[in-house]
Structure formats: structure tokens, C-alpha cells
């Protein structure tokens, strides 16, 4: 559930948003859930969603697994931000959240790397 990268008119770019508490829409979604039990804490410059009953915490707000965080508003429900057609020669590259969350790649570095593949 990380950003999707596309090349349109010769330019690479992200067409989806990162699902973290840095994304205002995700913070609003979590705060709007009346049944959600959560705390938001900051550590090392990142915001984390914390389940106050278990103290389990995650940085992304959407993903597969982390069932213990559902009470805090974490969800596996995808956000559909765009639909588009692709040609049969289109490259689709999927990456886990660790590529961005662990700062292995910065978004611009990732786009540059992918553009050199083609």
C-alpha cells in the first residue's frame, strides 16, 4: 500500500499518497473513527500510531497484517485514488513499505532508479 509510480508524458511520478500520519487525510480518517483507541506519538522525526492497550505501534496506517492495530484505526482497506489503463509494455514495480519507511530510498531517488531501468 505504498505509492504507485507511473510515467506519463515522459515524466515519472507518484499517483498515490503514502499511508502514514504525515498524510492529513489518513490522520483525519483515524481520528474520525469513534471506536478507534489510539495515541499518536513522535519518535526520531516520524509519527507513529500507537495502540494504548498493547503499546504496539506502526508508522504506516494501512497494510497487510498488524491485526493488533485494528483497534487503533489501522486498516488493510485500500485507498483507490486513481484508475488508469496501461499498455502491455508497461512496467509495474511493487515495493514493500520498508523501501520508504526505513529510508532505503527517498522518493526522488526511487523514481530516478526506475527511470534508468527503461
Amino acid at each position: 500500500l505504498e505509492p504507485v509510480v507511473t510515467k506519463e508524458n515522459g515524466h515519472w511520478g507518484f499517483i498515490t499518497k503514502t499511508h502514514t500520519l504525515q498524510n492529513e487525510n489518513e490522520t483525519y480518517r483515524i481520528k474520525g473513527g469513534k471506536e478507534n483507541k489510539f495515541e499518536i506519538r513522535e519518535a526520531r522525526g516520524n509519527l507513529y500510531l500507537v495502540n494504548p492497550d498493547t503499546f504496539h505501534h506502526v508508522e504506516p496506517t494501512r497494510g497487510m497484517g498488524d491485526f493488533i492495530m485494528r483497534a487503533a484505526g489501522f486498516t488493510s482497506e485500500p485507498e483507490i485514488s486513481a484508475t488508469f489503463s496501461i499498455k502491455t509494455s508497461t512496467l509495474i514495480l511493487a515495493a514493500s513499505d520498508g523501501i520508504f519507511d526505513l529510508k532505503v530510498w527517498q522518493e526522488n531517488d526511487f523514481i530516478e532508479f526506475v527511470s534508468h531501468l527503461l
Side-chain angles (χ1 to χ4, degrees), residues 1 3-4 6-7 15 37 47-48 51-52 57-58 61 73 75 77-78 81 88 98 114-115 118:
L1 300 174
V4 174
T6 186
K7 185 175 184 181
I15 61 169
K37 293 172 61 177
L47 295 175
Y48 293 89
N51 182 324
H57 62 280
V58 292
T61 53
T75 183
E77 181 180 329
S81 56
T88 56
V114 171
S115 67
L118 301 178

Side-chain angles (χ1 to χ4, degrees), residues 51-107:
N51 182 324
D53 294 334
T54 64
F55 298 106
H56 185 74
H57 62 280
V58 292
E59 185 179 8
T61 53
R62 295 175 189 250
M64 305 301 264
D66 285 316
F67 300 111
I68 201 165
M69 292 302 295
R70 285 191 179 167
F74 186 86
T75 183
S76 60
E77 181 180 329
E79 175 186 30
I80 300 172
S81 56
T83 58
F84 52 94
S85 299
I86 59 173
K87 298 176 185 173
T88 56
S89 61
T90 300
L91 170 69
I92 298 175
L93 183 62
S96 73
D97 60 338
I99 293 293
F100 300 103
D101 290 349
L102 298 177
K103 311 303 182 229
V104 173
W105 291 95
Q106 296 297 318
E107 291 180 357

